[in-house]
């Protein structure tokens, strides 16, 4: 058991009902007295939120959907649980910036998480960042907000958490000074790693969300299948570690044991390894700078084969599109992200084939990249336009 410190860290968990949220609460529950849950947020999953309120007794529960908030309110009254229920996007920002809290787990999926996560950055909170789309859309603005407020940013994405752990503890955004040559992001390759281009083009949603190594939300599972997840992570790494695009390399590693690596100028390569379980990076960030138990089974390397191969951007064009958007700069990453969100949603609904995900992103980038991207309004406008352009484009396509 880890020693109980006083006072406890006070948490808001954005996206508590999702995969990352559930894993976060699992780690929190292993350390009674160390953490206090101030607020939990969800969108539509009322029963899961009731259960989380029963176990974790937050002061506030937010459901972004008003109907779900009303249903939650009734359920909590019936159970006599003294939890205040709020709804709507403003409520997400309120609980992410409340003076009572010091730590925010940002685990909403997609650009929907941006306003509250950015607000937490402005408010100087410790941010545990799972919501990579926030950094993809608003990279420079977000990092500026962190620097200006003195907020603390700890990556939850397993690759970035591995890189964070493999960098010097006093790393402050200067890779050259740290003696770093390159950042190596590993990728499982997803469920379509060995499929032909034809088979990938006609893959079904059920095939796409059957990830070989990780249990994740549907959107990120499809992103893993298209390698867009790795593309988003390349952009995420650029901002988190102030890396030049040419310093970020991608290596397919199907076993997901080496979570990522840092290559130094003296030839050293430092990596973080572990059983693929998101509770490890979550516990690392929750306890930072101390290590705390995560409930993760020990890594058994005896008899294991680890392999590495190059990513194939011909079969997985989304990865190349992300590198292209990063090189283009400006609003391109926001456009890429929004087009991807719309296309993935349509694919999951069975409305368009898998191959249209990359096609519609390419289309949106062609139509919109190059626009202004200095203010948050510029980025939100790019996001809106890309959603419109992609929706219209996909209406012409049949599954
Ligand atoms: P998920 O779909 O399981 O959960 C998403 C959460 O966001 C839920 O709580 C949902 O209620 C909430 N949400 C969805 N839409 C919302 C909206 N419009 N407004 C407010 N809340 C909304 O997703 P996940 O797998 O937990 O992923 C969450 C984030 O973490 C994503 O950005 C993902 O890329 C990132 N991430 C996840 C993993 C993983 O292993 N699951 C790993 C690395 C990074
Ligand atoms: Mg990842």
């Amino acid at each position: 058991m880890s020693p109980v410190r006083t006072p406890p860290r006070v948490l808001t968990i954005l996206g508590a009902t999702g995969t990352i949220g559930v894993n976060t609460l699992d780690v929190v529950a292993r350390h009674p007295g160390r953490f206090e849950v101030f607020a939990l947020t969800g969108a539509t999953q009322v029963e899961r939120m009731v259960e989380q309120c029963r176990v974790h007794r937050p002061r506030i529960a937010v459901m972004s959907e008003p109907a779900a908030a009303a249903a939650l309110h009734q359920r909590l009254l019936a159970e006599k649980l003294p939890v205040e229920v709020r709804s709507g996007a403003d409520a997400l920002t309120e609980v992410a910036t409340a003076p009572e809290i010091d730590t925010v787990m940002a685990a909403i999926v997609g650009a929907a998480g941006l306003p509250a996560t950015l607000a937490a950055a402005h408010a100087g909170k410790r941010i545990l960042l799972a919501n990579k789309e926030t950094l993809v859309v608003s990279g420079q603005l977000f990092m500026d907000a962190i620097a200006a407020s003195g907020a603390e940013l700890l990556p939850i994405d397993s690759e970035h958490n591995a890189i964070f752990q493999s960098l010097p503890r006093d790393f402050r955004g200067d890779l050259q000074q740290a003696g770093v040559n390159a950042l190596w992001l590993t990728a499982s390759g997803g469920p379509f790693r060995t499929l032909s281009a034809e088979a990938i083009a006609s893959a079904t949603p059920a095939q796409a969300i059957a990830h070989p190594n990780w249990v994740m939300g549907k959107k990120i599972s499809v992103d893993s299948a298209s390698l867009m997840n790795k593309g988003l992570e390349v952009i995420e790494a650029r901002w988190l570690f102030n890396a030049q695009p040419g310093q970020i390399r991608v290596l397919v590693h199907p076993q997901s044991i080496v979570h990522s690596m840092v290559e130094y100028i003296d030839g050293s390569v430092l990596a973080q390894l572990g059983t693929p379980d998101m509770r490890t990076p979550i516990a690392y960030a929750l306890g930072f700078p101390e290590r705390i138990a995560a409930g993760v089974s020990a890594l058994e390397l005896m008899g294991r084969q680890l392999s590495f191969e190059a990513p194939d951007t011909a079969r997985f064009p989304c990865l190349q599109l992300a590198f292209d958007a990063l090189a283009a700069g400006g609003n391109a990453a926001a456009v890429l992200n929004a087009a991807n969100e719309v296309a993935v949603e349509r694919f999951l609904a069975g409305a368009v084939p898998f191959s249209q995900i990359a096609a519609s992103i390419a289309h949106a980038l062609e139509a919109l990249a190059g626009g202004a991207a200095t203010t948050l309004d510029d980025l939100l406008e790019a996001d809106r336009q890309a959603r419109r352009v992609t929706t219209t484009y996909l209406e012409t396509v049949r599954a």
Side-chain angles (χ1 to χ4, degrees):
M1 272 272 104
S2 55
V4 175
R5 300 180 323 169
T6 46
R9 287 210 156 261
V10 186
L11 308 174
T12 281
I13 303 177
L14 301 172
T17 54
T19 314
I20 293 290
V22 167
N23 278 309
T24 302
L25 287 170
D26 180 281
V27 176
V28 164
R30 290 169 192 277
H31 302 276
R34 187 170 189 127
F35 304 103
E36 198 180 299
V37 178
F38 175 79
L40 297 175
T41 88
T44 56
Q45 297 181 78
V46 175
E47 282 315 309
R48 182 168 282 177
M49 182 59 88
V50 172
E51 173 64 22
Q52 293 184 339
C53 286
R54 209 182 281 135
V55 175
H56 297 281
R57 302 297 174 112
R59 267 206 257 163
I60 302 174
V62 179
M63 299 304 278
S64 57
E65 294 295 322
L72 178 67
H73 184 63
Q74 288 310 317
R75 292 283 288 105
L76 294 177
L77 274 181
E79 298 224 2
K80 296 192 168 54
L81 285 172
V83 180
E84 182 189 334
V85 178
R86 297 188 191 170
S87 84
D90 289 347
L92 296 175
T93 296
E94 285 160 23
V95 295
T97 57
E100 291 91 338
I101 66 157
D102 47 65
T103 304
V104 176
M105 166 55 81
I108 290 173
V109 60
L114 194 157
T117 308
L118 185 59
H122 281 298
K125 305 300 185 189
R126 169 182 276 198
I127 299 172
L128 281 40
L129 187 73
N131 179 215
K132 64 191 87 185
E133 295 92 346
T134 281
L135 260 191
V136 170
V137 174
S138 72
Q140 184 74 62
L141 269 166
F142 189 79
M143 296 310 288
D144 287 350
I146 295 278
S149 70
E152 206 178 353
L153 184 56
L154 297 167
I156 293 298
D157 219 343
S158 58
E159 297 77 2
H160 306 75
N161 190 272
I163 288 172
F164 187 85
Q165 293 196 42
S166 303
L167 284 169
R169 179 60 67 83
D170 62 357
F171 178 72
R172 290 286 176 275
D174 190 337
L175 288 175
Q176 194 178 355
Q177 192 195 28
V180 173
N181 248 352
L183 305 177
W184 286 89
L185 291 174
T186 53
S188 69
F192 303 158
R193 182 176 60 90
T194 57
L195 296 193
S196 67
E198 296 70 38
I200 295 172
S202 59
T204 64
Q207 286 175 296
I209 60 178
H211 196 279
N213 307 338
W214 300 93
V215 180
M216 308 182 288
K218 281 186 185 164
K219 191 264 181 182
I220 183 176
S221 295
V222 176
D223 287 348
S224 298
S226 67
L227 287 203
M228 178 50 91
N229 183 49
K230 212 48 54 182
L232 298 176
E233 290 183 359
V234 167
I235 302 173
E236 184 184 11
R238 182 264 172 273
W239 295 113
L240 277 176
F241 307 115
N242 194 23
Q244 298 304 312
Q247 284 180 300
I248 307 169
R249 317 267 160 79
V250 174
L251 190 60
V252 173
H253 166 45
Q255 299 81 17
S256 297
I257 296 295
V258 177
H259 296 311
S260 277
M261 304 179 268
V262 177
E263 176 191 310
Y264 289 87
I265 50 174
D266 63 359
S268 298
V269 176
L270 300 193
Q272 184 256 358
L273 284 68
T275 305
D277 187 323
M278 288 307 293
R279 291 177 299 176
T280 294
I282 289 167
Y284 182 84
L286 277 172
F288 187 82
E290 285 172 49
R291 297 232 178 222
I292 63 173
V296 175
S297 52
L299 176 62
E300 183 52 81
L301 280 176
M302 207 80 77
R304 293 280 317 242
Q305 303 284 329
L306 301 185
S307 61
F308 301 92
E309 62 198 48
D312 179 354
T313 50
R315 281 184 306 135
F316 299 100
C318 285
L319 178 59
Q320 188 58 49
L321 288 167
F323 271 109
D324 293 347
L326 184 56
N331 68 356
V335 169
L336 169 106
N337 178 70
N340 182 56
E341 286 191 29
V342 171
V344 168
E345 203 185 296
R346 301 302 296 144
F347 167 71
L348 281 170
V352 299
F354 190 76
S355 55
Q356 282 302 320
I357 296 174
S360 51
I361 296 165
H363 176 261
L365 283 172
E366 218 158 279
L368 299 170
T374 17
T375 67
L376 181 61
D377 280 346
D378 292 340
L379 296 169
L380 295 177
E381 180 57 22
D383 176 276
R384 274 191 295 270
Q385 284 184 355
R387 283 170 202 272
R388 245 189 332 261
V389 162
T390 307
T391 303
T392 308
Y393 173 80
L394 287 175
E395 271 161 12
T396 66
V397 179
R398 286 238 187 84

